[in-house]
Amino acid sequence: MQTALYIHLPFCKQKCNYCDFASFAGREALIPAYLNALSREAAPYRAVPVQTLYVGGGTPSLLSEGQIYQLCGIIRRYFGGISCLEESTLEANPESLTPQKIHLLREAGFNRLSLGLQSFDDKELKILGRVHNVQTFLEAFSNARAGGFFNINVDLIAGLPGQTLEQFVAGLTRLLELRPEHISVYGLQVEEGTPFYERGLVCDQLLMRRMLEETHWRLAEAGYHHYEISNFALPGYEAKHNTHYWNNGEYIGLGSAAASYQKGTRRQNTPDVQEYIRRLEAGQTPVVFSEHLAGKEQVGETLMLALRKLDGVELTPVQRAFFGKEIQKHLDSGLLVQVGKKVKLSFEGLFLANEVFCSFVAPFD
């Protein structure tokens, strides 16, 4: 059975106004101890073969060249290196992705970058709390190409405060001129605990939907495959690591707040960076949550994840036995459609997917 590896680096130069991820600004002094803790956590997995790697955060590109070199050494020591993997991705922010770091990542074997652009408008970037501007992104993208990266994802957010449909489409058009291999477009979610939430920001859901509809049609016209709710790829560049998640495959998560899923058991590490380091230094487990999925819960989660893929899923007898009634309800409502042997989200269902997914998550009706 294939296994994916995720490594979480929770350090940021500045916390964005929309971000509710387990990431922290101003804690760079903890990075050396954190990398040592990562090495300790990785050691028991030495014999586990992995096929894909994703280094996320936070801002992994915030690490210095020496710290990136140390991180790559940990991966080589316990997982056999990076160049042998089917896909190896590192998240980067434009302001911290230097040509020297790009060279180091390629030399280590990374074959994919994920760049956090979020908007092609400097005013919108300031509203989001991003550190970079558009020119910094363009330079980072150009440097990544020159440095040998020919599999690049770029993130965009739709529905920003004050953003018009015309502004969003203009940014999308500029991005298409760069022709990245992969584009992820997310509707803005105002999460509790973020500055946007504290300000009482409310998203215009109808306008956001128009932006996402435009994204669907314009990227399709440009030759991109809309293969998952928020993800688009040129043919052959669909993200292998994330697709493994949507296929409910097993994965190992290293670092604070990272989750692992093996043999039906999901575990999650403490999100507290200092507590994570303390536990590993003391020879203790960083895991603070564990659950074993079985029966209807496991079947439901598998089905929910599979329906994120626009290709849909060919239902098994077990899935029909547990959720036949719920599936028929969504077929009748038009949020799901039957295409050949597969059930998939309809075009309407793309924008109301959570109404479908909640049917497959406990507690069940």
Side-chain angles (χ1 to χ4, degrees):
M1 180 178 291
Q2 290 196 335
T3 303
L5 173 63
Y6 173 78
I7 298 176
H8 188 67
L9 297 171
F11 306 98
C12 288
K13 185 174 182 180
Q14 178 173 293
K15 187 82 169 179
C16 297
N17 291 327
Y18 59 89
C19 181
D20 71 331
F21 295 155
S23 58
F24 308 93
R27 300 193 183 181
E28 291 88 338
L30 294 174
I31 293 177
Y34 186 87
L35 290 175
N36 290 334
L38 268 181
S39 183
R40 291 186 175 96
E41 189 186 8
Y45 296 104
R46 186 190 293 270
V48 180
V50 299
Q51 285 72 43
T52 63
L53 165 67
Y54 195 100
V55 181
T59 309
S61 57
L62 184 65
L63 270 62
S64 69
E65 293 170 44
Q67 290 163 347
I68 291 174
Y69 185 83
Q70 184 181 351
L71 174 66
C72 293
I74 292 169
I75 299 168
R76 282 194 301 269
R77 187 177 311 125
Y78 299 115
F79 300 100
I82 301 170
S83 58
C84 60
L85 300 175
E86 294 178 21
E87 181 186 88
S88 46
T89 305
L90 182 126
E91 284 185 352
N93 278 356
E95 73 279 355
S96 55
L97 187 65
T98 65
Q100 293 78 13
K101 291 178 184 179
I102 291 167
H103 176 75
L104 179 56
L105 292 168
R106 282 298 294 132
E107 285 289 302
F110 277 93
N111 56 28
R112 188 173 184 268
L113 286 177
S114 183
L115 292 177
L117 169 59
Q118 315 309 355
S119 170
F120 238 116
D121 183 285
D122 283 343
K123 291 182 180 178
E124 292 173 355
L125 289 171
K126 287 185 178 180
I127 291 171
L128 287 171
R130 302 292 290 179
V131 177
H132 71 274
N133 58 26
V134 171
Q135 184 58 38
T136 305
F137 165 77
L138 291 172
E139 291 171 0
F141 189 91
S142 176
N143 289 336
R145 284 288 195 235
F149 276 98
F150 302 105
N151 188 357
I152 299 176
N153 170 67
V154 177
D155 289 341
L156 280 181
I157 299 178
L160 304 181
Q163 185 181 49
T164 66
L165 179 61
E166 292 73 22
Q167 288 170 327
F168 175 78
V169 170
L172 189 63
T173 302
R174 290 189 68 184
L175 180 57
L176 286 173
E177 292 172 358
L178 296 176
R179 203 73 177 164
E181 288 70 27
H182 194 282
I183 299 174
S184 298
V185 183
Y186 305 99
L188 178 66
Q189 301 294 318
V190 179
E191 303 289 354
E192 188 172 355
T194 64
F196 276 173
Y197 182 88
E198 299 302 325
R199 296 176 196 170
L201 182 69
V202 177
C203 296
D204 185 333
Q205 296 296 327
L206 290 178
L207 178 57
M208 185 190 300
R209 171 163 176 166
R210 291 181 63 195
M211 292 175 181
L212 296 175
E213 287 175 345
E214 284 290 330
T215 300
H216 174 86
W217 298 120
R218 288 174 183 267
L219 292 190
E221 186 178 9
Y224 287 80
H225 173 208
H226 191 179
Y227 71 102
E228 191 270 346
I229 293 174
S230 303
N231 288 280
F232 306 77
L234 293 175
Y237 288 96
E238 295 82 1
K240 294 181 174 66
H241 185 88
N242 289 347
T243 298
H244 183 77
Y245 289 156
W246 301 321
N247 289 334
N248 207 23
E250 294 191 348
Y251 50 90
I252 297 166
L254 303 179
S256 61
S260 299
Y261 180 65
Q262 294 177 294
K263 298 180 180 178
T265 298
R266 180 184 291 111
R267 302 181 305 279
Q268 186 159 17
N269 291 344
T270 174
D272 186 310
V273 177
Q274 289 176 299
E275 176 67 7
Y276 171 79
I277 293 170
R278 187 198 67 75
R279 287 185 178 220
L280 269 301
E281 287 179 344
Q284 301 170 351
T285 176
V287 174
V288 293
F289 172 80
S290 178
E291 65 176 348
H292 184 76
L293 299 180
K296 189 172 184 177
E297 287 189 1
Q298 186 176 40
V299 173
E301 177 152 315
T302 300
L303 188 54
M304 178 187 69
L305 290 169
L307 283 170
R308 293 194 64 88
K309 300 179 297 179
L310 269 68
D311 189 41
V313 57
E314 186 172 343
L315 298 173
T316 66
V318 173
Q319 288 170 338
R320 289 188 182 277
F322 278 127
F323 296 104
K325 178 181 175 182
E326 290 81 1
I327 291 165
Q328 189 60 52
K329 180 185 74 173
H330 294 305
L331 287 169
D332 292 342
S333 72
L335 296 183
L336 291 177
V337 292
Q338 182 94 37
V339 180
K341 294 183 178 181
K342 290 188 173 182
V343 170
K344 56 190 288 188
L345 290 171
S346 65
F347 187 70
E348 181 72 14
L350 285 176
F351 309 102
L352 298 172
N354 286 340
E355 292 189 21
V356 177
F357 295 158
C358 66
S359 298
F360 310 118
V361 179
F364 305 107
D365 291 334

